[in-house]
Each structure stands twice: as structure tokens, then as C-alpha cells.
Amino acid sequence: MCTYELEGAQLYSIRWYRNMIEFYRYVPKESPATKVFPVAEIKVDVARSDQNRVVLTEVDRTLTGEYQCEVSADAPLFHTDIKASEMVVVEPPLIGPNITSDRMTYVGGDHIEANCSSPPSLPAANITWYVNEQMVPSFTANHVTNFTNGYASSLSTLELETAVLSPLPMLMIRCEASIFDVWKSASHAVVLRERNANPVSALGRSLTGGATETCIPCILVLVLQSFLQFLLQNYTETSIR
């Protein structure tokens, strides 16, 4: 896209360049108004191109580079200005990101480590973390692995210290991979559930000494065992007599 302001003057021409080699020209006073110049690997969709934009087809990563738009006003001034911008051709991963966690349950105060990996792409994807659907702010510690074919993969590690008194008995963690505003994909969510830090004993006391609710089923089992032992003892004594 090439936007401009001629301040009342008439447009004379629009010229597009790649690395300062002209490949497209628009001159409204000529017929036809558009002209395409043969440049290796550049294919212009003339029907969709005009004085403000040029549309390329069959784009691949070889077309990444600097493009220039030159605007010229008509007589009598013929003022000319040129601006350049970098275009990056994106080749996204074939699949979305994958997330793993070092645990599936936790207690307050535990250290949790999760990894999110995005497969090879061009360029490497940026990874964003979400915990309970809240974005983890300013997390940019992505490790990028570059390959000889020009592609790169991303790996990000999230470390959490769980709260001792958490308002929710679970943590839902997911990650999102993106490349500029061209491609975005989210991982599946990993759900970590909080477990009881003080298991209950048969006598209704926690193993760490704190009072807890009475374990009724456990007491019933003990009573039943005692009753069976009593019956067995009486039966044995009767048999001996």
C-alpha cells in the first residue's frame, strides 16, 4: 500500500521497486495506465493493482526484502518523493504450539514449570502465556533455534510459584504462538488441580498434627475389624472346649 498527498497537484506516476529495480508503474495519462516490468520471481496481479497498491501473487520467502514506492506529481512542478519499507514473507508452522507441564497437581507454595514449543517457521513465532485466561505480562523469554534451511523454532518456559491460599483450586495454563499479525494459534489448555496438603488419618487427625474433620468411613472399618476379631476369638475358644 502506498498513500500520498499531492496538495492539489495532479498525479503523474507511481513507480514500485524491489531493491531499487522497477517492476510496476502506474501513469494515469497513458493507455493502458499500468505497466509491469519483468523482474525475477515477481508476479503482479494487474487487475487488483492501482495507483495506491500493487498486489503480488505466488509469493514465497524469496520475495522478502525492501520495496520502494515513488510518487511523482504532474507538471509544472513534477515533485517526486520515494519511501521504502521492508516486507517479510511469513511461512507459519504446519501445526500449532504444544504445551507440557512438570506436574498435574500441586499444593500451595509448589514450583511449577511449563514449556511451550512452536514448530519451525519463518520467522520464529513469538510465544505468549495465559494463566486462568489472564495473559502473563511482559513474558518474552523465548529460546529460538535456527536451522540451516532458514526456518526457526521457538521454546518458552513459564515458571510459577503457586499461592498458599489460592482463590481457585486449579490452574489452567495455555500458550499462544503468533507471527506479526499474519498468523496465530493457541495450544490446548493444561489443567493443574490443587491437592490437599494434609492427608487425613483414620482417627480424624491430620498427619501433621492439625485437627481435621473425622474420617467416618475409616472409623467404621476399624470397628468392623475389631468386631470380626472378637467373633473369631470366641469361636476359637468354643472349639477348644
Side-chain angles (χ1 to χ4, degrees), residues 111-232:
H111 179 84
I112 297 174
E113 183 175 298
N115 289 318
C116 178
S117 59
S118 182
S121 61
L122 184 70
N126 183 60
I127 294 176
T128 305
W129 286 95
Y130 293 85
V131 177
N132 291 341
E133 292 305 316
Q134 298 296 315
M135 186 179 71
V136 179
S138 303
F139 195 90
T140 57
N142 292 345
H143 176 71
V144 175
T145 301
N146 295 300
F147 300 96
T148 55
N149 60 0
Y151 288 80
S153 62
S154 299
L155 174 65
S156 180
T157 300
L158 176 68
E159 296 185 14
L160 294 175
E161 199 76 29
T162 59
V164 176
L165 296 176
S166 175
L168 294 175
M170 57 173 283
L171 290 173
M172 185 174 69
I173 303 174
R174 67 179 181 89
C175 64
E176 187 177 88
S178 61
I179 304 177
F180 305 127
D181 58 351
V182 176
W183 175 85
K184 181 184 294 185
S185 180
S187 72
H188 66 280
V190 172
V191 178
L192 283 66
R193 302 193 181 278
E194 187 176 17
R195 67 179 186 274
N196 190 352
N198 297 319
V200 178
S201 71
L203 298 179
R205 307 283 297 180
S206 70
L207 298 182
T208 57
T212 63
E213 295 181 359
T214 303
C215 181
I216 301 299
C218 299
I219 294 177
L220 291 177
V221 170
L222 291 176
V223 171
L224 181 60
Q225 288 178 342
S226 299
F227 180 69
L228 290 175
Q229 289 177 354
F230 173 76
L231 291 179
L232 181 61

Side-chain angles (χ1 to χ4, degrees), residues 26-61:
Y26 179 88
V27 183
K29 290 185 177 181
E30 294 183 357
S31 182
T34 59
K35 187 175 183 180
V36 176
F37 300 92
V39 175
E41 300 170 344
I42 291 184
K43 296 182 180 180
V44 177
D45 186 339
V46 177
R48 298 168 60 193
S49 302
D50 53 30
Q51 69 271 27
N52 291 115
R53 66 176 183 174
V54 60
V55 178
L56 306 182
T57 62
E58 301 180 27
V59 175
D60 60 29
R61 62 177 177 171

Side-chain angles (χ1 to χ4, degrees), residues 33-98:
T34 59
K35 187 175 183 180
V36 176
F37 300 92
V39 175
E41 300 170 344
I42 291 184
K43 296 182 180 180
V44 177
D45 186 339
V46 177
R48 298 168 60 193
S49 302
D50 53 30
Q51 69 271 27
N52 291 115
R53 66 176 183 174
V54 60
V55 178
L56 306 182
T57 62
E58 301 180 27
V59 175
D60 60 29
R61 62 177 177 171
T62 61
L63 293 183
T64 292
E66 186 178 78
Y67 290 76
Q68 300 86 24
C69 174
E70 181 187 86
V71 180
S72 297
D74 206 345
L77 299 178
F78 289 105
H79 285 163
T80 299
D81 193 14
I82 186 169
K83 298 294 183 182
S85 183
E86 185 80 10
M87 184 180 78
V88 177
V89 178
V90 171
E91 293 191 16
L94 297 177
I95 58 176
N98 182 59

